[in-house]
């Protein structure tokens, strides 16, 4: 059966920003959990397709247009997370779809490069603004790593734990990205980027059940949650977590029995 004709019995949970408003950096990390010692592995080793968005040099990574300083072309994730993505692909195979990953583990240097880009962008947009105004605007897009301390979990940007991943779906046959109704980074501050956006549109009678964007979002969310990864659906649809601080925050809203602490913390980038 063609992928486009298949349906799943799943709905993306409709949530609110208030449900995820508590600072994830306040969530504790259980240093005694053995899973926290798990290594990073390359997505190449599990056969999951990717292209590092921040390392692209062809200009096709708006709004950047260039490779971000500190980025790298390969993508690494904690071993269990990478293996989960490989199993997600098996779930997606009957739908003639597969995952396509944009970002996984992110070094502090890359986080700094992203911060520099957005901070400079806010200066260009509002040259008469104050430094606090520019920093506040930039923080809407990216966490400032200025206070990063390897020994302080309250300072660790989300992607430095190797258990946060940015991804989408692509056609298994043609390799073309599926229509999700919003694009990574480009639409980060647009309403349509929220994971539950098209569920809300459906509930309001503005689209019908057959809307391809709705169905693609449902397919992604269903497959990822089957392997335990969570998306804070009031936020961008392309970001999923497992075992880190944001995962714990998401689980408090989405799971009946959320963990009390994360097990993945900061991990140094691979050599």
């Amino acid at each position: 059966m063609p992928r486009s004709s298949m349906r799943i019995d799943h709905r993306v949970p409709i949530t609110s920003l208030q449900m995820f408003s508590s600072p994830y950096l306040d969530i504790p990390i259980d240093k005694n959990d053995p899973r926290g010692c798990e290594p990073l592995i390359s997505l190449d080793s599990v056969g999951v397709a990717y292209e590092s968005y921040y390392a692209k040099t062809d200009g096709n990574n708006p709004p950047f247009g260039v490779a971000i300083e500190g980025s790298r072309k390969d993508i690494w994730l904690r071993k269990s997370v990478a293996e989960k993505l490989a199993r997600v692909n098996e779930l997606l195979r009957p739908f003639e779809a597969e995952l396509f990953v944009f970002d996984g583990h992110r070094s502090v240097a890359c986080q700094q490069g992203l911060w520099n880009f957005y901070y400079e962008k806010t200066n260009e947009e509002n040259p008469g603004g104050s430094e606090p105004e520019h920093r506040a605007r930039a923080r809407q897009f990216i966490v400032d790593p200025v206070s990063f301390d390897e020994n302080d979990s309250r300072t660790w940007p989300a992607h430095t734990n190797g258990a946060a991943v940015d991804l989408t779906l692509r056609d298994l046959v043609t390799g073309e990205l599926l229509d999700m109704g919003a694009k990574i980074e480009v639409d980060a501050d647009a309403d349509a980027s929220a994971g539950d956006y098209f569920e809300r549109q459906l509930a309001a009678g503005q689209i019908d059940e057959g809307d391809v964007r709705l169905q693609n979002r449902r397919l992604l969310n269903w497959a990822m949650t089957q392997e335990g990864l969570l998306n804070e659906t009031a936020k961008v649809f392309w970001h999923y977590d497992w075992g880190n601080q944001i995962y714990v925050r998401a689980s408090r809203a989405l799971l009946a029995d959320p963990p009390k602490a994360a097990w993945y913390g900061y991990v140094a980038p691979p050599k």
Side-chain angles (χ1 to χ4, degrees):
M1 182 182 295
R3 171 180 53 77
S4 59
S5 299
M6 298 182 72
R7 293 286 187 270
I8 51 170
D9 184 17
H10 179 79
R11 303 291 183 271
V12 176
I14 294 177
T15 59
S16 69
L17 288 173
Q18 289 72 28
M19 295 169 71
F20 311 109
S21 62
S22 61
Y24 74 84
L25 292 170
D26 290 342
I27 292 172
I29 295 174
D30 184 357
K31 296 181 179 179
N32 295 317
D33 192 316
R35 292 174 292 184
C37 299
E38 196 172 76
L40 295 169
I41 65 171
S42 169
L43 286 186
D44 289 314
S45 67
V46 293
V48 174
Y50 68 87
E51 185 174 23
S52 178
Y53 195 80
Y54 305 122
K56 287 170 68 67
T57 57
D58 59 5
N60 292 323
N61 60 339
F64 313 109
V66 296
I68 296 296
E69 185 176 357
S71 63
R72 55 190 296 161
K73 291 189 175 181
D74 51 356
I75 293 181
W76 296 66
L77 287 166
R78 297 284 189 155
K79 184 174 184 292
S80 290
V81 179
E83 291 171 347
K84 284 176 177 293
L85 297 190
R87 292 195 293 271
V88 168
N89 270 348
E90 292 305 308
L91 293 173
L92 292 170
R93 189 175 300 278
F95 298 86
E96 296 185 2
E98 68 175 349
L99 298 176
F100 190 73
V101 178
F102 296 115
D103 191 30
H105 179 272
R106 188 186 301 165
S107 68
V108 177
C110 182
Q111 187 79 16
Q112 185 65 58
L114 288 167
W115 171 263
N116 292 344
F117 172 85
Y118 280 110
Y119 184 76
E120 291 168 8
K121 187 170 184 281
T122 62
N123 273 273
E124 293 171 0
E125 292 174 347
N126 182 21
S130 65
E131 180 180 353
E133 288 173 336
H134 292 153
R135 296 181 68 83
R137 174 60 175 162
R139 281 196 296 269
Q140 294 179 11
F141 298 94
I142 192 73
V143 172
D144 184 358
V146 64
S147 61
F148 173 77
D149 180 347
E150 186 174 329
N151 298 309
D152 187 351
S153 64
R154 294 169 299 178
T155 70
W156 297 343
H159 278 267
T160 61
N161 53 58
V165 60
D166 295 335
L167 43 62
T168 190
L169 295 176
R170 75 174 186 178
D171 190 291
L172 187 60
V173 177
T174 68
E176 294 181 0
L177 299 184
L178 301 189
D179 184 2
M180 308 298 285
K183 296 180 179 179
I184 183 173
E185 292 292 359
V186 179
D187 298 320
D189 60 346
D191 291 345
S193 69
D196 62 7
Y197 178 76
F198 292 108
E199 297 289 354
R200 293 177 181 275
Q201 294 286 94
L202 177 65
Q206 296 175 349
I207 61 173
D208 61 36
E209 193 89 19
D211 190 291
V212 67
R213 300 164 300 177
L214 172 72
Q215 292 299 325
N216 288 340
R217 295 261 184 117
R218 286 179 172 180
L219 180 60
L220 175 62
N221 189 262
W222 167 77
M224 293 292 282
T225 55
Q226 289 297 297
E227 278 296 322
L229 291 103
L230 296 179
N231 167 249
E232 295 183 327
T233 63
K235 299 189 175 185
V236 295
F237 80 86
W238 55 79
H239 182 99
Y240 281 81
D241 299 274
W242 189 71
N244 57 21
Q245 291 167 301
I246 292 183
Y247 169 81
V248 174
R249 183 175 67 183
S251 71
R252 292 172 179 174
L254 298 169
L255 301 182
D257 187 22
K260 292 182 173 59
W263 51 92
Y264 293 131
Y266 169 76
V267 61
K271 302 295 184 182

